[in-house]
Amino acid sequence: MKTFTLPGTDLTVPNVVLGVMRIEDKTDEEVRTLVGTAMDSGITFFDHADVYGSDVHGCERRFAEAMRWTSSEREQVVLQTKAGIVPEGPYFDYSHEHLVRSVEGSLAALGTDWIDILLLHRPDALVEPEEVARAFDDLAAAGKVRHFGVSNHTPGQIELLRRSVQQPLVANQLQLSVTHAPLVAQGVAANMQGLDQSISRDAGTLDYCRLHDITVQAWSPFQAGFFTGVFLGSPDYPELNAVIDRLAAQYDVPAIAIATAWITRHPARMQVVLGTTTPERVAGAALGSDVPLTRAEWYEMFRAAGYTVP
């Protein structure tokens, strides 16, 4: 498993992350097997959110109940959580009060004294950057949160926050897979009149993150679209799956590893956030971290996914 120092932090992190969002109905043994498989594969970074589960903090609580880590074991992992969504609306709340209350709830649910990284969970149209800054300052000063970031934010939204927030924003969690890749695809086809792919819909978010040392965390790395089902093995993507299957045989890894490798091959040093609760899929996906796709193979997958390479 490849690791790197997360810019803006002192954290050494793997480039594959386990998102713990579907474990609320799992037994202690099932959770421990899932997490243990991840750690055996080199994954020591676990992504949470206060809204994961049927109740607020539900999955965070289930995770802690099953794992029951000692203080020394806790030191060996990175725990990230997200805040800002009010599910009963749904709506967003980036007020000082809500963010602090959410983090305190996450700390209690996770049974830990600190959160390694807190992300703002999707943009809040009513955001008041001064409120966010005050919350971040208070959480950092109290030792409750060590690092901060965002999720699904555009460059303008990040710049607005940075005008008030003193701490580095170290991560931006964004949807990305080989079939859902506007972050990458627009730049490839820039300045091509009449081609939908050439239209910028995110104001250059990927390049902005690279310029500002903000690590992109790719969520739904195997989803064809916005929760429309996985592309792996899907009859809707026969050409892509033929390429993936051939590369999987060539590198002697499962197909899911090739889908991971397409993201980790990118020089932006992205992290792949896995959402599966199947241990075998976690282990298989983790293998992609070490698959050295060539440029030709990377672009072949990109074309097979339906994107234009001029």
Side-chain angles (χ1 to χ4, degrees), residues 47 49 52 82-83 85 92 94 119-125 149-158 161 171-176 180 183 201-202 205 209 214-220 226-227:
D47 175 64
Y52 291 167
K82 299 182 285 293
I85 295 178
F92 307 102
Y94 285 176
L119 304 185
L120 299 178
H121 202 172
R122 291 194 173 276
D124 177 9
V150 296
S151 178
N152 306 294
H153 277 56
T154 66
Q157 290 165 337
I158 296 173
L161 289 169
N172 190 5
Q173 197 170 105
L174 300 157
Q175 185 174 6
L176 176 66
H180 187 283
L183 287 172
R201 293 181 169 86
D202 65 7
T205 298
C209 288
I214 299 171
T215 297
V216 170
Q217 298 178 348
W219 60 268
S220 284
F226 185 67
F227 296 110

Side-chain angles (χ1 to χ4, degrees), residues 96 100 130-145 148 164-167:
H96 172 277
V100 171
E130 300 81 6
E131 283 278 293
V132 174
R134 189 160 63 91
F136 284 9
D137 285 346
D138 288 350
L139 291 167
K144 295 177 179 179
V145 177
F148 300 86
S164 299
V165 170
Q166 300 301 308
Q167 297 80 8

Side-chain angles (χ1 to χ4, degrees), residues 10 26 39 47 105 118 139 143 187 190 203-204 246 293:
D10 57 356
K26 302 295 182 183
M39 296 187 72
D47 175 64
L118 173 70
L139 291 167
R246 190 191 78 241
L293 291 179

